[in-house]
Amino acid sequence: MNKDTINTSFFIHQLKQGQNSAFETLYHLYFQKLSHFANSYIENDEEAKEIVQNVFFKLWKKREKLDIEINLHAYLFKMVKNSCLDYFKHQKVKANYSQHCENERKTINDLALMDEPSSQYIENELLQKINASVDKLPEACKRIFIKSRFQGMNHKEIAEELEISTKTVENQITKALKFLRLELKEYTALFL
């Protein structure tokens, strides 16, 4: 029997007995190596560390069933490799589900927009929300925004009429648009 086999047998025996000190020793010996190994697969340091944490958790849960004859080093690396492969499968399932949900959302929105009464209702609701949101703007900002977006005036025309700089007009319109994007974010999803 070589030295590694003796140490492995000893650690496995200690683990099977529920010895926390053996588990902690293995954890400290292998955590960084296994994390680096996992990260070489998935290229995400945090996810790699989480995978290794889960491997150690599984090892602790399975400790009573561990075979004394196994090569613990190879066993741990194989567990990490398999967990990385499971991670990829899970990511693929998540991506497919997310795409499916996005497709469903778009289909529902398209159907709602094709339905004339629903479309009219959404349009009326949106117009009310836009008007209410514009009314919330500070007075000077609101005045400039209305002249630009509802009256079709360009920045120079607004600046001349209000006797302000075009830069002030640009800043106020930018401020208004930023505010309106936040106010109307639930509606923008309908049209994307």
Side-chain angles (χ1 to χ4, degrees):
M1 248 186 203
N2 67 27
K3 184 180 174 187
D4 290 336
T5 306
I6 294 169
N7 288 341
T8 298
S9 298
F10 172 77
F11 278 118
I12 292 173
H13 178 72
Q14 293 287 309
L15 281 174
K16 287 178 93 167
Q17 300 299 315
Q19 294 293 323
N20 287 337
S21 59
F23 179 79
E24 288 174 14
T25 300
L26 285 176
Y27 184 87
H28 290 296
L29 283 173
Y30 283 99
F31 183 80
Q32 289 300 327
K33 293 175 193 172
L34 293 172
S35 295
H36 181 69
F37 178 67
N39 196 29
S40 71
Y41 270 94
I42 62 171
E43 298 177 349
N44 181 322
D45 194 46
E46 290 303 313
E47 293 289 339
K49 287 178 181 176
E50 189 171 326
I51 285 171
V52 174
Q53 291 280 6
N54 289 334
V55 163
F56 275 105
F57 178 72
K58 288 176 190 174
L59 178 70
W60 183 253
K61 279 178 54 176
K62 293 180 176 183
R63 69 186 181 277
E64 294 174 354
K65 297 176 185 154
L66 287 175
D67 181 2
I68 297 284
E69 301 302 318
I70 66 167
N71 177 336
L72 192 57
H73 178 83
Y75 183 75
L76 288 171
F77 277 87
K78 185 173 182 178
M79 283 181 73
V80 170
K81 178 183 175 185
N82 290 340
S83 294
C84 288
L85 296 175
D86 289 344
Y87 169 84
F88 286 128
K89 289 177 195 171
H90 181 70
Q91 292 302 102
K92 186 174 180 181
V93 168
K94 275 175 46 176
N96 288 341
Y97 179 74
S98 180
Q99 185 62 48
H100 172 75
C101 289
E102 181 62 22
N103 290 342
E104 287 292 313
R105 184 188 67 76
K106 284 184 177 185
T107 301
I108 290 168
N109 287 339
D110 290 346
L111 290 173
L113 292 173
M114 286 174 22
D115 178 13
E116 187 61 36
S118 294
S119 181
Q120 188 63 44
Y121 176 78
I122 291 170
E123 187 177 325
N124 289 338
E125 185 180 339
L126 180 57
L127 284 173
Q128 288 175 359
K129 184 68 175 174
I130 289 170
N131 289 331
S133 297
V134 169
D135 283 341
K136 291 180 185 178
L137 291 169
E139 199 56 44
C141 186
K142 179 168 65 171
R143 185 175 341 114
I144 291 169
F145 184 78
I146 289 171
K147 288 184 182 299
S148 171
R149 296 305 196 254
F150 298 138
Q151 296 173 2
M153 295 174 70
N154 66 36
H155 294 186
K156 186 177 179 186
E157 292 169 335
I158 297 169
E160 287 174 1
E161 183 179 310
L162 298 177
E163 298 177 354
I164 57 176
S165 71
T166 55
K167 189 68 174 166
T168 300
V169 172
E170 290 172 14
N171 289 340
Q172 291 299 313
I173 290 173
T174 300
K175 181 179 174 181
L177 289 173
K178 185 176 180 182
F179 175 78
L180 292 173
R181 271 190 213 100
L182 287 173
E183 284 285 305
L184 302 170
K185 67 181 172 191
E186 64 187 273
Y187 292 92
T188 57
L190 289 172
F191 302 104
L192 296 178

Short mmCIF file of all heavy atoms in Angstrom, two decimals, residues 3-23:
data_model
loop_
_atom_site.label_atom_id
_atom_site.label_comp_id
_atom_site.label_asym_id
_atom_site.label_seq_id
_atom_site.Cartn_x
_atom_site.Cartn_y
_atom_site.Cartn_z
N LYS A 3 1.53 5.51 0.23
CA LYS A 3 1.17 6.55 1.21
C LYS A 3 -0.19 7.18 0.89
O LYS A 3 -0.99 7.41 1.79
CB LYS A 3 2.26 7.62 1.21
CG LYS A 3 2.07 8.70 2.22
CD LYS A 3 3.20 9.70 2.15
CE LYS A 3 2.92 10.86 3.07
NZ LYS A 3 3.89 11.93 2.92
N ASP A 4 -0.48 7.46 -0.43
CA ASP A 4 -1.75 8.06 -0.82
C ASP A 4 -2.92 7.16 -0.48
O ASP A 4 -3.97 7.62 -0.04
CB ASP A 4 -1.77 8.39 -2.31
CG ASP A 4 -0.82 9.54 -2.63
OD1 ASP A 4 -0.54 10.34 -1.71
OD2 ASP A 4 -0.37 9.62 -3.79
N THR A 5 -2.77 5.86 -0.68
CA THR A 5 -3.84 4.91 -0.37
C THR A 5 -4.12 4.90 1.13
O THR A 5 -5.27 4.88 1.55
CB THR A 5 -3.47 3.50 -0.86
OG1 THR A 5 -3.13 3.57 -2.23
CG2 THR A 5 -4.61 2.53 -0.66
N ILE A 6 -3.06 4.94 1.93
CA ILE A 6 -3.24 4.95 3.39
C ILE A 6 -3.97 6.23 3.80
O ILE A 6 -4.94 6.18 4.56
CB ILE A 6 -1.87 4.85 4.11
CG1 ILE A 6 -1.24 3.48 3.84
CG2 ILE A 6 -2.03 5.07 5.61
CD1 ILE A 6 0.20 3.37 4.27
N ASN A 7 -3.52 7.37 3.31
CA ASN A 7 -4.17 8.63 3.67
C ASN A 7 -5.62 8.65 3.21
O ASN A 7 -6.50 9.09 3.93
CB ASN A 7 -3.41 9.81 3.07
CG ASN A 7 -2.09 10.05 3.78
OD1 ASN A 7 -1.90 9.59 4.89
ND2 ASN A 7 -1.20 10.77 3.13
N THR A 8 -5.86 8.18 1.97
CA THR A 8 -7.21 8.16 1.44
C THR A 8 -8.09 7.26 2.29
O THR A 8 -9.19 7.64 2.68
CB THR A 8 -7.21 7.69 -0.04
OG1 THR A 8 -6.46 8.60 -0.80
CG2 THR A 8 -8.61 7.60 -0.58
N SER A 9 -7.60 6.08 2.58
CA SER A 9 -8.36 5.14 3.42
C SER A 9 -8.66 5.75 4.78
O SER A 9 -9.77 5.64 5.30
CB SER A 9 -7.60 3.82 3.60
OG SER A 9 -7.41 3.21 2.36
N PHE A 10 -7.66 6.42 5.35
CA PHE A 10 -7.83 7.05 6.65
C PHE A 10 -8.92 8.13 6.59
O PHE A 10 -9.82 8.16 7.42
CB PHE A 10 -6.50 7.66 7.11
CG PHE A 10 -6.63 8.49 8.35
CD1 PHE A 10 -6.76 7.88 9.59
CD2 PHE A 10 -6.64 9.88 8.27
CE1 PHE A 10 -6.88 8.66 10.75
CE2 PHE A 10 -6.77 10.64 9.41
CZ PHE A 10 -6.89 10.04 10.65
N PHE A 11 -8.83 9.01 5.58
CA PHE A 11 -9.82 10.09 5.47
C PHE A 11 -11.22 9.54 5.21
O PHE A 11 -12.19 10.01 5.78
CB PHE A 11 -9.44 11.08 4.36
CG PHE A 11 -8.44 12.10 4.80
CD1 PHE A 11 -7.19 12.18 4.20
CD2 PHE A 11 -8.73 12.98 5.83
CE1 PHE A 11 -6.27 13.12 4.60
CE2 PHE A 11 -7.81 13.94 6.24
CZ PHE A 11 -6.58 14.00 5.63
N ILE A 12 -11.30 8.54 4.36
CA ILE A 12 -12.63 7.96 4.07
C ILE A 12 -13.19 7.32 5.33
O ILE A 12 -14.38 7.49 5.65
CB ILE A 12 -12.55 6.96 2.89
CG1 ILE A 12 -12.24 7.72 1.60
CG2 ILE A 12 -13.86 6.19 2.75
CD1 ILE A 12 -11.97 6.84 0.40
N HIS A 13 -12.37 6.61 6.06
CA HIS A 13 -12.81 6.00 7.31
C HIS A 13 -13.28 7.08 8.29
O HIS A 13 -14.34 6.95 8.92
CB HIS A 13 -11.68 5.16 7.92
CG HIS A 13 -12.05 4.55 9.22
ND1 HIS A 13 -12.94 3.50 9.31
CD2 HIS A 13 -11.68 4.86 10.49
CE1 HIS A 13 -13.10 3.18 10.59
NE2 HIS A 13 -12.34 3.99 11.33
N GLN A 14 -12.50 8.16 8.42
CA GLN A 14 -12.87 9.27 9.30
C GLN A 14 -14.18 9.92 8.86
O GLN A 14 -15.04 10.24 9.68
CB GLN A 14 -11.76 10.32 9.33
CG GLN A 14 -10.47 9.86 9.97
CD GLN A 14 -10.63 9.75 11.49
OE1 GLN A 14 -11.07 10.68 12.13
NE2 GLN A 14 -10.26 8.60 12.03
N LEU A 15 -14.33 10.12 7.54
CA LEU A 15 -15.58 10.71 7.01
C LEU A 15 -16.77 9.82 7.32
O LEU A 15 -17.82 10.29 7.74
CB LEU A 15 -15.48 10.91 5.49
CG LEU A 15 -14.71 12.12 5.00
CD1 LEU A 15 -14.60 12.07 3.49
CD2 LEU A 15 -15.38 13.41 5.43
N LYS A 16 -16.60 8.52 7.09
CA LYS A 16 -17.70 7.57 7.34
C LYS A 16 -18.12 7.61 8.81
O LYS A 16 -19.29 7.38 9.13
CB LYS A 16 -17.28 6.16 6.94
CG LYS A 16 -17.22 5.98 5.44
CD LYS A 16 -16.75 4.60 5.07
CE LYS A 16 -17.96 3.72 4.89
NZ LYS A 16 -17.68 2.46 4.25
N GLN A 17 -17.17 7.91 9.67
CA GLN A 17 -17.47 8.00 11.10
C GLN A 17 -18.08 9.35 11.48
O GLN A 17 -18.44 9.57 12.62
CB GLN A 17 -16.19 7.78 11.92
CG GLN A 17 -15.53 6.43 11.71
CD GLN A 17 -16.46 5.30 12.09
OE1 GLN A 17 -17.11 5.34 13.12
NE2 GLN A 17 -16.54 4.29 11.23
N GLY A 18 -18.16 10.27 10.49
CA GLY A 18 -18.74 11.59 10.75
C GLY A 18 -17.78 12.56 11.42
O GLY A 18 -18.21 13.51 12.08
N GLN A 19 -16.50 12.34 11.24
CA GLN A 19 -15.49 13.20 11.85
C GLN A 19 -15.40 14.53 11.08
O GLN A 19 -14.95 14.57 9.94
CB GLN A 19 -14.12 12.51 11.84
CG GLN A 19 -14.04 11.29 12.71
CD GLN A 19 -14.15 11.63 14.19
OE1 GLN A 19 -13.62 12.66 14.63
NE2 GLN A 19 -14.84 10.79 14.92
N ASN A 20 -15.82 15.60 11.72
CA ASN A 20 -15.77 16.93 11.09
C ASN A 20 -14.35 17.34 10.76
O ASN A 20 -14.11 18.00 9.74
CB ASN A 20 -16.38 17.99 12.01
CG ASN A 20 -17.89 17.87 12.09
OD1 ASN A 20 -18.51 17.33 11.20
ND2 ASN A 20 -18.46 18.39 13.16
N SER A 21 -13.40 16.96 11.59
CA SER A 21 -12.01 17.37 11.35
C SER A 21 -11.48 16.78 10.05
O SER A 21 -10.74 17.46 9.31
CB SER A 21 -11.12 16.97 12.52
OG SER A 21 -11.16 15.57 12.70
N ALA A 22 -11.85 15.57 9.71
CA ALA A 22 -11.41 14.95 8.45
C ALA A 22 -12.04 15.70 7.27
O ALA A 22 -11.37 15.99 6.28
CB ALA A 22 -11.79 13.48 8.40
N PHE A 23 -13.31 16.02 7.42
CA PHE A 23 -14.00 16.76 6.36
C PHE A 23 -13.36 18.13 6.16
O PHE A 23 -13.10 18.55 5.04
CB PHE A 23 -15.48 16.90 6.70
CG PHE A 23 -16.26 17.67 5.67
CD1 PHE A 23 -16.65 17.06 4.49
CD2 PHE A 23 -16.57 19.01 5.87
CE1 PHE A 23 -17.37 17.76 3.53
CE2 PHE A 23 -17.27 19.72 4.91
CZ PHE A 23 -17.67 19.09 3.74
#
